[in-house]
Amino acid sequence: MSYMTGHNFKCKSCDYFGKMIGTHNIEGEFVLECPVCQESWVEMTAEEQNEEAENRMDEAINNFNKLVSKK
């Protein structure tokens, strides 16, 4: 299932900068495809995505704890 990304990316092959077509391949990698030149590349491996998700969760927990401790 592909979708347009919410963030802008720079194409690795042409000068396009903007929303890309995003998909996840069978290995769980996040793949971007340029809508202009149709070049595609792996933007993040599954391991990198898991690490980013863990970092975001840690940040969310820390922010929540800061809010709770202020009361």
Side-chain angles (χ1 to χ4, degrees):
M1 177 178 179
S2 62
Y3 55 90
M4 291 304 284
T5 60
H7 299 284
N8 293 329
F9 293 89
K10 168 77 174 93
C11 178
K12 304 224 184 236
S13 296
C14 71
D15 290 331
Y16 177 75
F17 178 77
K19 307 234 183 300
M20 299 286 177
I21 299 167
T23 59
H24 285 86
N25 64 17
I26 193 81
E27 292 87 16
E29 298 169 322
F30 178 51
V31 179
L32 291 178
E33 179 182 331
C34 177
V36 176
C37 70
Q38 277 75 48
E39 182 70 29
S40 63
W41 63 92
V42 173
E43 184 65 20
M44 289 176 116
T45 64
E47 185 176 291
E48 290 169 331
Q49 292 174 74
N50 287 339
E51 187 176 312
E52 183 173 306
E54 287 175 7
N55 290 341
R56 287 183 180 186
M57 182 62 77
D58 289 343
E59 184 178 341
I61 290 169
N62 288 338
N63 289 339
F64 176 79
N65 288 337
K66 286 177 189 175
L67 287 172
V68 171
S69 67
K70 286 183 179 181
K71 292 184 177 188

